[in-house]
Amino acid sequence: MGLQPLEFSDCYLDSPWFRERIRAHEAELERTNKFIKELIKDGKNLIAATKSLSAAQRKFAHSLRDFKFEFIGDAETDDERCIDASLREFSNFLKNLEEQREIMADIQVEQNRQHFYELSLEYVCKLQEIQERKKFEFVEPMLSFFQGMFTFYHQGHELAKDFNHYKMELQINIQNTRNRFEGTRSEVEELMNKIRQNPKDHKRASQFTAEGYLYVQEKRPAPFGSSWVKHYCMYRKAAKKFNIIPFEHRSGGKLGDGEVFYLKECTKRHTDSIDRRFCFDVEAADRPGVSLTMQAFSEEERKQWLEALGGKEALFHSFNRAIVPRPEGSAQLDKMGFTILRKCISAVETRGINDQGLYRVVGVSSKVQRLLSMLMDVKTCNEVDLENSIDWEVKTITSALKQYLRSLPEPLMTYELHGDFIVPAKSGSPESRVNAIHFLVHKLPEKNKEMLDILVKHLTNVSNHSKQNLMTVANLGVVFGPTLMRPQEETVAAIMDLKFQNIVVEILIENHEKIFRTLPDATFPEPVSLSPSPPNAPPRQSKRQGQRTKRPVAVYNLCLELEDGDSPNPPKEDTPPSSLDSLSSPSPTTATVPGPPGPDKNHLLADGGSFGDWTSTGTSQPRSCMVQWLNPQSPTTPSCNPAVRPPSPKSAPVPLSPATVADKPPESVINRKARAVYPCEAEHSSELSFEIGAIFEDVQTSREPGWLEGTLNGKRGLIPQNYVKLL
């Protein structure tokens, strides 16, 4: 389990558990600092070893250059001159090799190795011709040494190539983390400034009516008098249960054994009756006549404790902030609200379904407020013609629709189920996520579910035109995640969950037909935290170096719609959508599905239309790579979730897990068609590169285990078997 987030509101409460969390963060920073120092030390040792290797090679080359065979007689023969020249050639080559290794790439080293190999063969051939055993035995070990050295460099080059895909994925993960940090930093700083300006209104809701530090007087026998010991106190008013835990600074903040008693009464102590300020007495129900004197840190804190304990001079001011509801606007989830929703959706689908940046480009704040006021007024609502009037731009209509949803007293997906929706988005397989959200949607109040159905059906139609409007499912999730879902209490942990709200909306859009047109499985259990497996594509059978795990890489940018998604401030103009579309969606845009015909749009204006009568002619899209996370299971271990069932024939196909695909016996495939369910980049000229949704012709079983042969765009090649689905 990772480190718990540090809440700013806990700084004012300063509980022992908060201090424990701070110490855990500090200890982790210390461990990271030591690890970095060790890495720096090892890196310096590696550089020193490399320099030593270079110096040894240069020294070896110098020795070869200075060595010379003595000859017998008046003059050297041609063979002897050639032998002497070969040693000088070796010396020059080593020197040249060392210089080239420092400034050139491995491919030039390979060329020099080939050149040296040819010279070595000629040299050995001449040694065999002159039959001088001494010189033959001298050169042969040299040849073996250089061969081993070149093999070492070649193996390093191959290992670096195999490691390249991991390095690329690591760079993508680092970029994703940086983007999420940039997206949440402004939200965290805004929350910090709010708490700094008014800390009382941002205290976290607690199960205790009052809690905090108090000094408790401990009386001792004469002549020792009494002492004051710091305790952390917690009180529940409903049960009148009082917990006190001694807290000693000198022992490093270690907690002692706690004490529990039930409160009988509380009385304020006046200054003239005791030599300390801010004191009050409490009497336990099981200790009649024995009072316990406590001291608060200030007069204000004493008043708050007196109010919570039912003592005298209790003020009507709550010690702990209850969960304060957001200010209610005039927006309500009633017949007028449904009329506003239908009018806006109908106008958008009629006039601007293909507008680039739909729902992401915001309108002028004054125009948006004026339009929303007219729509929410019973007298003027019917007079507003959004479909034919040029007075209202499409971006004004979309902004008014989002503003209406944000103005509801409670978000459309309710405060009560907010945490339940977040849980399946954080973990689990794709099918279990859909089943969990399907189950939770049908727990919503009927009006909330009905309005959510209308809105999600419209967003599905918008995503079907993403080639024109650039609003993919991922982009719509970023826009409507904070609009449809928001926590009841604004905390740092809630800000960190923004990205998971987007995933929930994506699942709703991609599985609209299943979620809203079918009932959930009656045996499906309450959503719980599933196995936290990371998003991985199936492993590929690599023809080099065994299996190599790869996955689709994509940069997820959390900052696309934060300023427009949940900000109460006036909206600001965004950047052009074309520059951000590739960052927000981890997978390419799927093929456009035709939207509902003209008569189907007219139901949006009908006030009496029932939820059950609305059907969609559009088909469900394949799930994007962002939420298509598979949870691999052992082939010998059955699934622990009995509610996960095979997909129905009408639902979108769900790819098999890697373990399932790998363990299936190879079946003979002849002249079949197949569709890609994952993107793939070829690693060899015999393989095919393709994107999600690509259709392969004439698919056959390959002689390579785990591979198929097929034709794509007139080119035939190998296809990973677990990356496609046969049609």
Side-chain angles (χ1 to χ4, degrees):
M1 180 178 179
L3 296 174
Q4 297 183 3
L6 299 175
E7 300 292 349
F8 294 116
S9 57
D10 286 341
C11 295
Y12 292 88
L13 190 59
D14 192 23
S15 67
W17 300 277
F18 177 66
R19 296 194 177 193
E20 288 291 337
R21 290 197 292 270
I22 289 181
R23 282 194 289 271
H25 278 262
E26 293 171 345
E28 176 60 26
L29 289 177
E30 184 65 25
R31 286 195 297 269
T32 304
N33 186 34
K34 292 181 180 179
F35 178 69
I36 292 174
K37 290 181 179 179
E38 288 294 329
L39 285 181
I40 294 174
K41 179 180 177 181
D42 295 340
K44 290 180 179 179
N45 293 337
L46 178 61
I47 293 173
T50 305
K51 291 180 179 179
S52 299
L53 174 63
S54 177
Q57 288 179 339
R58 292 181 184 272
K59 181 65 174 60
F60 186 71
H62 187 268
S63 300
L64 281 179
R65 185 190 63 187
D66 295 341
F67 181 81
K68 184 176 182 180
F69 288 105
E70 294 296 336
F71 61 92
I72 302 175
D74 297 333
E76 292 180 313
T77 63
D78 292 341
D79 293 335
E80 290 173 336
R81 292 191 187 96
C82 184
I83 291 172
D84 291 339
S86 67
L87 292 180
R88 289 192 297 272
E89 185 70 19
F90 277 132
S91 175
N92 294 335
F93 175 70
L94 276 177
K95 181 180 178 181
N96 181 56
L97 175 64
E98 183 60 29
E99 293 174 353
Q100 293 298 324
R101 187 180 67 84
E102 294 177 354
I103 61 176
M104 301 187 66
D106 293 341
I107 187 171
Q108 292 177 330
V109 176
E110 178 67 18
Q111 293 174 354
N112 290 332
R113 188 194 69 83
Q114 294 293 338
H115 178 61
F116 170 74
Y117 182 74
E118 294 174 1
L119 293 178
S120 299
L121 292 178
E122 294 176 1
Y123 183 69
V124 172
C125 182
K126 291 180 181 180
L127 289 178
Q128 290 177 347
E129 291 175 357
I130 62 176
Q131 296 294 317
E132 293 188 4
R133 187 176 182 83
K134 172 182 176 181
K135 294 166 185 171
F136 171 82
E137 291 180 349
F138 174 76
V139 176
E140 188 176 28
M142 290 288 301
L143 179 62
S144 300
F145 169 74
F146 282 106
Q147 184 67 30
M149 184 176 63
F150 288 129
T151 302
F152 170 77
Y153 282 111
H154 180 72
Q155 288 292 340
H157 176 68
E158 289 296 319
L159 289 175
K161 288 172 60 178
D162 289 342
F163 188 77
N164 188 54
H165 75 278
Y166 175 80
K167 182 181 69 174
M168 291 179 57
E169 291 185 4
L170 182 60
Q171 290 174 345
I172 293 298
N173 292 335
I174 292 174
Q175 183 63 34
N176 288 344
T177 304
R178 186 188 304 276
N179 289 339
R180 294 190 183 101
F181 166 74
E182 295 294 339
T184 56
R185 180 173 60 178
S186 60
E187 297 287 335
V188 172
E189 289 178 350
E190 182 181 353
L191 176 60
M192 179 183 67
N193 292 331
K194 289 181 180 178
I195 295 178
R196 179 180 296 167
Q197 294 172 3
N198 198 350
K200 296 179 182 178
D201 292 342
H202 289 83
K203 289 183 180 178
R204 299 185 64 190
S206 172
Q207 57 179 331
F208 299 103
T209 309
E211 61 178 319
Y213 288 103
L214 292 173
Y215 282 98
V216 179
Q217 184 183 32
E218 294 186 357
K219 299 179 181 180
R220 299 178 181 178
F224 299 103
S226 61
S227 63
W228 293 83
V229 181
K230 190 175 183 180
H231 288 68
Y232 192 80
C233 304
M234 298 163 287
Y235 176 68
R236 287 190 180 93
K237 189 172 184 178
K240 290 193 173 183
K241 187 177 181 181
F242 207 110
N243 298 59
I244 59 174
I245 303 174
F247 183 83
E248 182 58 51
H249 284 288
R250 287 174 292 182
S251 62
K254 185 177 179 181
L255 298 176
D257 297 331
E259 181 182 358
V260 180
F261 61 87
Y262 291 90
L263 180 70
K264 180 179 180 181
E265 63 178 2
C266 172
T267 308
K268 176 182 176 181
R269 289 287 296 269
H270 293 285
T271 308
D272 55 359
S273 64
I274 193 170
D275 59 350
R276 290 188 173 230
R277 299 180 298 166
F278 320 135
C279 295
F280 57 92
D281 293 338
V282 295
E283 183 177 347
D286 54 347
R287 304 173 191 172
V290 179
S291 61
L292 196 63
T293 303
M294 298 183 175
Q295 180 188 23
F297 285 85
S298 65
E299 180 63 27
E300 182 180 2
E301 286 193 17
R302 178 170 69 170
K303 291 179 180 178
Q304 294 172 358
W305 277 103
L306 288 174
E307 176 197 355
L309 300 175
K312 297 179 180 180
E313 299 187 13
L315 301 178
F316 295 98
H317 177 75
S318 176
F319 183 90
N320 271 314
R321 178 179 69 91
I323 297 178
V324 180
R326 297 174 181 260
E328 296 190 9
S330 55
Q332 296 294 331
L333 200 62
D334 53 8
K335 184 176 180 180
M336 178 61 68
F338 279 91
T339 302
I340 295 172
L341 186 73
R342 294 187 179 105
K343 288 177 75 71
C344 292
I345 290 177
S346 178
V348 171
E349 293 188 348
T350 302
R351 297 173 51 191
I353 194 68
N354 293 323
D355 288 2
Q356 289 191 2
L358 187 66
Y359 283 108
R360 200 180 56 79
V361 178
V362 298
V364 179
S365 179
S366 58
K367 292 183 179 180
V368 173
Q369 294 296 337
R370 185 158 59 92
L371 174 59
L372 191 58
S373 299
M374 295 178 65
L375 290 174
M376 297 176 69
D377 191 343
V378 180
K379 299 179 181 179
T380 59
C381 180
N382 295 328
E383 300 175 1
V384 179
D385 185 6
L386 298 179
E387 294 188 21
N388 303 312
S389 175
I390 61 175
D391 296 335
W392 307 108
E393 297 177 287
V394 174
K395 65 180 181 180
T396 304
I397 299 174
T398 56
S399 297
L401 174 59
K402 291 186 294 183
Q403 185 62 36
Y404 162 74
L405 294 173
R406 288 195 290 263
S407 301
L408 291 172
E410 187 178 24
L412 204 56
M413 299 177 73
T414 71
Y415 291 131
E416 180 182 359
L417 296 178
H418 177 82
D420 295 337
F421 275 111
I422 292 294
V423 169
K426 290 184 176 180
S427 57
S429 63
E431 186 175 359
S432 63
R433 287 183 177 187
V434 175
N435 290 337
I437 293 177
H438 187 189
F439 178 83
L440 292 171
V441 165
H442 286 263
K443 291 181 65 177
L444 290 171
E446 192 61 34
K447 286 186 177 181
N448 296 61
K449 184 175 67 174
E450 182 179 351
M451 180 170 287
L452 186 63
D453 176 26
I454 299 173
L455 179 62
V456 174
K457 180 180 179 181
H458 166 63
L459 297 181
T460 303
N461 189 24
V462 172
S463 66
N464 291 339
H465 293 77
S466 59
K467 287 187 177 181
Q468 293 79 28
N469 57 37
L470 304 181
M471 293 304 292
T472 61
V473 174
N475 282 345
L476 291 172
V478 173
V479 174
F480 281 91
T483 301
L484 300 179
M485 299 177 63
R486 61 177 181 266
Q488 195 164 7
E489 187 178 5
E490 189 177 9
T491 62
V492 175
I495 295 175
M496 297 302 176
D497 286 341
L498 283 176
K499 49 185 174 292
F500 300 110
Q501 298 175 186
N502 307 342
I503 295 177
V504 173
V505 176
E506 290 180 26
I507 294 176
L508 290 175
I509 297 175
E510 293 170 339
N511 302 274
H512 170 262
E513 287 297 314
K514 175 180 179 180
I515 291 176
F516 291 96
R517 298 293 178 264
T518 62
L519 293 176
D521 187 358
T523 62
F524 189 79
E526 289 287 339
V528 295
S529 179
L530 304 173
S531 59
S533 58
N536 283 323
R540 296 175 50 182
Q541 289 282 353
S542 177
K543 297 189 293 298
R544 302 182 305 166
Q545 305 286 331
Q547 288 192 356
R548 186 183 305 158
T549 304
K550 299 180 78 72
R551 68 172 184 179
V553 292
V555 177
Y556 171 65
N557 193 339
L558 183 65
C559 312
L560 294 180
E561 188 57 27
L562 286 178
E563 60 186 6
D564 181 42
D566 195 24
S567 174
N569 300 326
K572 295 181 271 189
E573 291 295 333
D574 292 326
T575 54
S578 59
S579 63
L580 300 174
D581 179 66
S582 61
L583 293 179
S584 62
S585 177
S587 62
T589 306
T590 55
T592 303
V593 180
D600 189 61
K601 296 179 181 178
N602 295 335
H603 78 279
L604 298 170
L605 299 177
D607 293 334
S610 64
F611 161 69
D613 295 334
W614 298 337
T615 58
S616 172
T617 58
T619 58
S620 176
Q621 292 183 353
R623 181 164 309 140
S624 66
C625 291
M626 175 181 288
V627 296
Q628 201 168 33
W629 295 358
L630 294 179
N631 187 15
Q633 297 175 352
S634 172
T636 60
T637 305
S639 173
C640 61
N641 188 356
V644 177
R645 300 181 300 174
S648 62
K650 295 183 180 180
S651 63
V654 178
L656 296 174
S657 67
T660 306
V661 175
D663 294 338
K664 286 182 62 179
E667 300 177 357
S668 178
V669 180
I670 301 177
N671 297 331
R672 296 280 298 276
K673 290 186 177 181
R675 181 177 66 248
V677 294
Y678 292 97
C680 178
E681 182 180 354
E683 298 177 351
H684 192 268
S685 58
S686 62
E687 302 176 16
L688 294 178
S689 297
F690 50 86
E691 300 292 341
I692 295 178
I695 302 297
F696 302 93
E697 304 285 345
D698 192 18
V699 178
Q700 300 179 4
T701 303
S702 172
R703 289 177 296 179
E704 294 281 350
W707 293 78
L708 301 174
E709 293 182 6
T711 303
L712 177 64
N713 299 328
K715 181 180 178 181
R716 189 162 185 82
L718 293 174
I719 312 163
Q721 184 174 356
N722 52 355
Y723 272 56
V724 300
K725 180 177 180 63
L726 295 175
L727 302 179

